[in-house]
Amino acid sequence: MFPNHPPFYFLHSFCIFSLRCCMAASLVFRLHDRGPEVVREVLLERGWKEYNERKCEKEDWNLYWRGSAFRNSEYYDLLPWQRLNHHPKTVGITRKDCLARNLRRMRATFGSSLYDFSPTAFILPNDYTRFLAEYNKLRQARGPSVYWICKPVDLSRGRGIFIFEDIKDLVYDCSVIVQRYISNPLLISGYKFDLRIYVCVKSFHPLTVYVHQEGLVRFATEKYNLSSLHNTYAHLTNTSINKFGPFYKTEKGRVGQGCKWTMSKFRHYLHSQDINQLLMWQRISNIVTLTLLTIAPSVPSCPNCVELFGFDILLDVKFKPWLLEVNYSPALTLDCQADITVKKGLISDLIDLMNYTLTDSLRERAFYRQGSRQPCFHASHMSHVTPVLSKVKETKFHSGDQSSQTQTLPQLKTVCQAERINRRRRPFIDDYQRHLPPVDLNQLTAARGKIINTTATETHTDKTLNLILGPHSRTNMSVVDRQTCPALPTKLMDNASLRVSEVTNHDDTETEAGTELSRQTNVSSSIHEIPQRRVGFRRSSGSWKLPNIYSGNHRPVRIPLEGTTAVNGHNIPPLRVGGFIRTFPFNTATLKASQQKLDVKLIIQELHKLTGQLATSDQKLRREEEEEEVKRNKDGEEDFDSLLWGPKDPPLLSQCSKHT
Ligand code: ADP
């Protein structure tokens, strides 16, 4: 009775209407299995709403976050306003044995001096004979003691790991990898540590990589000692182990209490030690790129996905970085203040990187409304989906074709569902692109003191550049580089077993996972075969004049805006988004090399050059490179710059090479 009374009826309807409008104007997230709390917290703070399956439409969400892999159908069913937090098929680097195998392959193709950042690894039982041969060879050489670490391939968080010197101690009952143990790690007050680096792959096609400025340093909680190989608190840096150690809460020299530092604190430490860090950071960035190159060509294109990887890096006593493992779902638990500082900012910046627009918040409603007003269909926009479907359709409807009768029920169901989605999406996708708001260049100059590059990456459809100013955004701006429809090749759609077969380094309960090392060589033998005298990390000679970014009067480098024009038709992804620094592509050549078919060889050559610029004092080489740059500009190629990832106020790469 009460709701039917006219004034109350209108009020009631108005409230429901307002609520609906409000919901429609908010972005909506879905967390699988209650998801990481920090993701919920950050999104709610930014004004997002949580998906409620009882109240919301099935497709009424913008971000689906899960720790484990998505099903193929979830990629295929993605709608233009939706994003997933995983790309398909990244298991090639996130499972210990796959990573070892892939790095071995790259070493064979591109040379062991380039891919020397991961310790020699053997996958047992298959590689047992090879391991035995290597073990015996090293024993007979009678050099310094050699240690090995054995890790189950499908476990994480340090479970099942042990270190050994004598082969008689190698006992295993499952698939394991045995690696050279980096026995000379860099120590702080006698404690071993490793670095957790957060890497966001914004897109695999074209490859677009951002590395976050913040990260974690994870310490062992007992002093490093090679005479007690069984002491996990001294040899493993997993937080999941050390937070239960007897000395977790004890003051441990410079390390302090607990077992974590932020990356900022580590930078500060390095600075206090008068260590020149620039080359070290660049080497870590190279490791990230070179590792991603092992799988990039085989990952299907899925423009609405991002991936946040956790790279675990160990520094040895010579500051050479070693890749320990790549985590598929880096832990997002908040155990201590360092976690809170790092992870909240990280997630917020990741959301900024996802380029949500106001149109995304309208979801299906806006699409239907606009679609019915201005139906507009260009089949070419779906060209990457259509061929797959039409192929199946031909098989299905060819009269008298035996194969059509032999199709299984699930196959038919897939065909029907795909057709339904395809038909429904077409009008909206075009419209969606067209109705994205235009860029206001004035707003791109700076937000909260941060200067951001404003060009967007090329899209398969429109090259519309868009901007959203979210009230809760840390960067307060982002640039849309949308490719509206996920393109999954036939082979992915056919691969129904993808999800179940991926046993990866899930670290979401505070783990690490790893696969790495090879030769414990001097840094000089890495990427560049740089002569020994040039690679010391201490500022010892005048030839090492990289920008003195830590001197007291240092002012942050002003990052010029890149023009909104593209380089030879290719748009450039933003230089940085919050704490995320674009590390790939880093110049015109790598931009071009990643546009169509990934030119891995060329990219590797450019990495060589870049690291050479940072490491060398060779005047001749620098002059040649400068001349090359001048020539490029004369040829009409607009160049673009990148930032050096790592230092607190990252300098431009071009400045680094000019100052060397
Ligand atoms: P998990 O996935 O179980 O965390 P990791 O490969 O990350 O496995 O190894 C756990 C820890 O063991 C690392 O954080 C690191 O401290 C140590 N560790 C792993 N591999 C090596 C190695 N080759 N040399 C030295 N320490 C290693």
Side-chain angles (χ1 to χ4, degrees):
M1 181 178 163
F2 156 81
N4 289 332
H5 190 273
F8 287 107
Y9 175 81
F10 283 122
L11 187 63
H12 181 241
S13 309
F14 176 75
C15 288
I16 290 179
F17 175 76
S18 312
L19 192 69
R20 284 212 179 119
C21 291
C22 164
M23 282 296 283
S26 303
L27 290 157
V28 174
F29 63 93
R30 269 177 89 174
L31 296 182
H32 180 69
D33 261 357
R34 300 285 304 142
E37 191 50 44
V38 65
V39 174
R40 174 178 289 105
E41 210 176 300
V42 168
L43 290 172
L44 290 175
E45 272 172 24
R46 292 169 66 114
W48 285 54
K49 298 264 183 294
E50 185 156 7
Y51 179 78
N52 179 334
E53 63 184 25
R54 273 173 291 143
K55 290 190 190 151
C56 299
E57 297 278 329
K58 200 166 148 259
E59 286 150 353
D60 211 8
W61 51 268
N62 299 97
L63 170 65
Y64 190 3
W65 185 287
R66 59 186 296 164
S68 53
F70 290 100
R71 279 185 289 270
N72 291 344
S73 59
E74 285 170 306
Y75 289 107
Y76 187 64
D77 288 349
L78 261 189
L79 291 163
W81 58 89
Q82 299 175 333
R83 315 272 200 286
L84 303 179
N85 73 319
H86 292 300
H87 283 278
K89 289 200 165 194
T90 55
V91 67
I93 55 169
T94 56
R95 207 176 103 142
K96 293 178 177 68
D97 51 344
C98 298
L99 178 66
R101 216 172 279 124
N102 272 323
L103 290 176
R104 192 186 292 168
R105 178 174 56 80
M106 295 299 270
R107 215 172 279 145
T109 315
F110 297 104
S112 51
S113 65
L114 184 69
Y115 275 87
D116 75 335
F117 52 82
S118 128
T120 312
F122 301 92
I123 304 161
L124 271 45
N126 283 3
D127 291 342
Y128 187 78
T129 320
R130 286 184 52 229
F131 168 61
L132 199 60
E134 178 75 4
Y135 174 85
N136 285 330
K137 193 178 90 190
L138 291 168
R139 278 245 148 170
Q140 278 153 20
R142 295 195 182 280
S145 301
V146 174
Y147 300 89
W148 301 91
I149 184 164
C150 176
K151 320 186 218 183
V153 298
D154 54 3
L155 287 184
S156 58
R157 286 176 274 149
R159 289 170 298 176
I161 294 183
F162 61 94
I163 299 151
F164 64 95
E165 189 183 0
D166 194 323
I167 201 165
K168 73 173 171 23
D169 296 324
L170 172 61
V171 182
Y172 58 95
D173 58 4
C174 59
S175 186
V176 295
I177 66 161
V178 169
Q179 277 184 335
R180 277 288 290 268
Y181 184 64
I182 303 300
S183 55
N184 59 342
L186 184 66
L187 305 176
I188 296 182
S189 295
Y191 294 90
K192 179 176 170 178
F193 63 92
D194 71 2
L195 310 179
R196 163 61 55 90
I197 312 284
Y198 295 102
V199 175
C200 172
V201 179
K202 173 91 180 59
S203 144
F204 273 96
H205 304 282
L207 185 62
T208 312
V209 183
Y210 286 83
V211 183
H212 207 274
Q213 285 287 80
E214 260 310 345
L216 291 166
V217 181
R218 300 159 331 149
F219 287 91
T221 45
E222 292 194 25
K223 289 209 171 178
Y224 188 71
N225 183 352
L226 279 170
S227 56
S228 61
L229 294 180
H230 61 277
N231 185 355
T232 52
Y233 300 123
H235 289 277
L236 306 190
T237 51
N238 302 74
T239 307
S240 50
I241 291 175
N242 284 288
K243 70 180 175 190
F244 298 112
F247 300 101
Y248 178 69
K249 291 194 175 145
T250 313
E251 282 288 337
K252 297 176 281 294
R254 283 201 76 150
V255 175
Q257 287 186 349
C259 66
K260 269 183 198 167
W261 280 6
T262 62
M263 201 62 85
S264 302
K265 186 165 176 182
F266 181 57
R267 279 192 204 101
H268 200 257
Y269 168 81
L270 291 176
H271 178 50
S272 72
Q273 301 293 299
D274 195 28
I275 289 159
N276 192 325
Q277 312 166 38
L278 299 197
L279 190 56
M280 182 193 84
W281 294 123
Q282 183 55 37
R283 289 212 160 108
I284 295 175
S285 171
N286 287 354
I287 290 179
V288 170
T289 309
L290 291 169
T291 306
L292 290 170
L293 286 178
T294 66
I295 56 160
S298 60
V299 175
S301 172
C302 192
N304 283 24
C305 301
V306 294
E307 186 83 54
L308 181 68
F309 291 112
F311 276 63
D312 291 347
I313 302 284
L314 184 82
L315 293 172
D316 72 16
V317 77
K318 290 171 180 159
F319 288 86
K320 175 178 163 67
W322 295 92
L323 176 69
L324 294 186
E325 75 162 337
V326 182
N327 286 282
Y328 179 71
S329 263
L332 291 174
T333 41
L334 303 181
D335 282 336
C336 56
Q337 189 51 46
D339 274 344
I340 297 169
T341 312
V342 171
K343 293 174 185 174
K344 282 193 83 170
L346 175 77
I347 297 301
S348 196
D349 292 341
L350 185 71
I351 302 301
D352 282 342
L353 256 183
M354 290 187 197
N355 301 329
Y356 284 100
T357 64
L358 291 174
T359 314
D360 285 312
S361 66
L362 299 173
R363 294 181 292 283
E364 195 143 23
R365 260 163 284 235
F367 285 77
Y368 278 123
R369 225 177 293 134
Q370 291 175 5
S372 57
R373 227 181 26 232
Q374 301 178 313
C376 158
F377 164 61
H378 294 301
S380 61
H381 289 191
M382 293 296 291
S383 57
H384 38 304
V385 174
T386 309
V388 179
L389 298 175
S390 50
K391 212 168 139 195
V392 190
K393 263 193 286 185
E394 274 163 29
T395 321
K396 185 184 159 199
F397 297 115
H398 192 277
S399 58
D401 186 346
Q402 286 299 308
S403 66
S404 66
Q405 280 140 41
T406 55
Q407 274 191 322
T408 61
L409 192 61
Q411 273 175 315
L412 283 173
K413 213 175 137 194
T414 312
V415 171
C416 296
Q417 193 193 14
E419 279 177 336
R420 182 177 57 82
I421 291 167
N422 199 10
R423 220 180 304 123
R424 209 184 48 189
R425 279 176 181 174
R426 280 173 185 154
F428 307 137
I429 287 154
D430 233 12
D431 233 41
Y432 183 68
Q433 285 286 314
R434 204 144 23 84
H435 285 85
L436 292 169
V439 169
D440 178 349
L441 288 179
N442 294 329
Q443 287 172 310
L444 289 169
T445 45
R448 291 190 198 156
K450 292 176 187 177
I451 303 163
I452 297 184
N453 170 5
T454 60
T455 51
T457 55
E458 190 176 33
T459 66
H460 285 316
T461 56
D462 297 342
K463 285 180 193 160
T464 322
L465 189 65
N466 298 285
L467 170 77
I468 180 169
L469 292 171
H472 303 279
S473 154
R474 270 162 52 99
T475 56
N476 231 11
M477 66 169 75
S478 56
V479 179
V480 171
D481 63 336
R482 176 79 34 78
Q483 297 167 321
T484 43
C485 303
L488 297 183
T490 326
K491 66 177 184 212
L492 174 70
M493 293 173 46
D494 290 341
N495 180 8
S497 62
L498 176 72
R499 196 159 99 103
V500 278
S501 66
E502 288 190 3
V503 183
T504 56
N505 297 323
H506 294 262
D507 169 61
D508 27 15
T509 34
E510 198 51 83
T511 271
E512 309 82 58
T515 313
E516 78 218 68
L517 326 214
S518 69
R519 290 140 295 281
Q520 296 189 42
T521 54
N522 189 304
V523 269
S524 60
S525 68
S526 64
I527 307 260
H528 261 269
E529 283 150 14
I530 301 150
Q532 174 80 37
R533 71 190 159 77
R534 290 177 189 156
V535 295
F537 281 92
R538 285 178 187 278
R539 286 191 214 113
S540 51
S541 79
S543 67
W544 251 103
K545 278 193 224 109
L546 290 165
N548 186 5
I549 55 171
Y550 294 102
S551 63
N553 58 2
H554 168 68
R555 276 189 287 137
V557 174
R558 187 176 158 76
I559 304 158
L561 273 176
E562 287 173 33
T564 50
T565 49
V567 170
N568 279 1
H570 307 303
N571 292 313
I572 310 167
L575 202 60
R576 69 180 291 170
V577 174
F580 275 114
I581 306 292
R582 175 185 17 90
T583 58
F584 191 91
F586 54 86
N587 61 12
T588 315
T590 50
L591 178 77
K592 283 193 213 157
S594 58
Q595 289 299 310
Q596 303 295 328
K597 196 169 170 287
L598 198 69
D599 188 342
V600 177
K601 209 167 152 196
L602 194 141
I603 293 167
I604 285 173
Q605 280 168 7
E606 290 298 315
L607 273 180
H608 262 282
K609 264 200 240 162
L610 172 62
T611 317
Q613 282 174 349
L614 288 169
T616 190
S617 61
D618 190 330
Q619 299 287 334
K620 191 165 161 268
L621 180 70
R622 248 195 0 261
R623 226 180 2 257
E624 278 170 12
E625 271 152 8
E626 275 165 22
E627 280 164 12
E628 208 178 289
E629 196 184 315
V630 171
K631 189 172 166 297
R632 264 207 311 266
N633 291 340
K634 267 198 201 141
D635 291 347
E637 278 185 25
E638 294 159 70
D639 214 343
F640 74 95
D641 217 330
S642 294
L643 294 168
L644 177 78
W645 170 79
K648 182 165 169 273
D649 296 309
L652 287 164
L653 282 183
S654 56
Q655 290 198 331
C656 297
S657 53
K658 275 184 197 126
H659 283 76
T660 49

